[in-house]
Amino acid sequence: MELLFFLIKAAGTILWLGSAVLIVIMAFHDDILWGLVCVFGLGIPPILLIYIISHFEDTKYLFLAYLAGASLLIIGNATPPVGG
């Protein structure tokens, strides 16, 4: 059971970080200023969300992957510890 929760957290982390990095790469392709703002604001989700909202037609699938990864992380971390 612990392995399952670990795999959920790992999948969520990969999906969440991967989609965030792809959104930043997309921001650099759009404009270097957007790319720099997203890179230096990567730890601040509202900056990334401002870019996503302003370019929603291009980033909607990556945004869904971002949300799916965050949801998997929440589910994986919300489970009670087993044993111990």
Side-chain angles (χ1 to χ4, degrees), residues 2-78:
E2 292 178 16
L3 179 63
L4 176 66
F5 295 134
F6 173 76
L7 292 175
I8 289 172
K9 286 189 243 185
T13 302
I14 291 169
L15 191 59
W16 179 65
L17 282 176
S19 61
V21 167
L22 287 175
I23 291 170
V24 169
I25 290 171
M26 190 176 272
F28 267 111
H29 282 285
D30 186 40
D31 187 16
I32 192 142
L33 188 59
W34 266 118
L36 290 173
V37 167
C38 287
V39 164
F40 292 120
L42 195 56
I44 307 168
I47 293 176
L48 205 57
L49 288 176
I50 290 170
Y51 177 78
I52 290 169
I53 290 169
S54 64
H55 298 86
F56 190 71
E57 194 62 37
D58 299 327
T59 60
K60 60 184 168 189
Y61 296 115
L62 288 174
F63 178 62
L64 291 175
Y66 187 84
L67 288 179
S71 299
L72 286 175
L73 277 172
I74 290 170
I75 290 170
N77 286 322

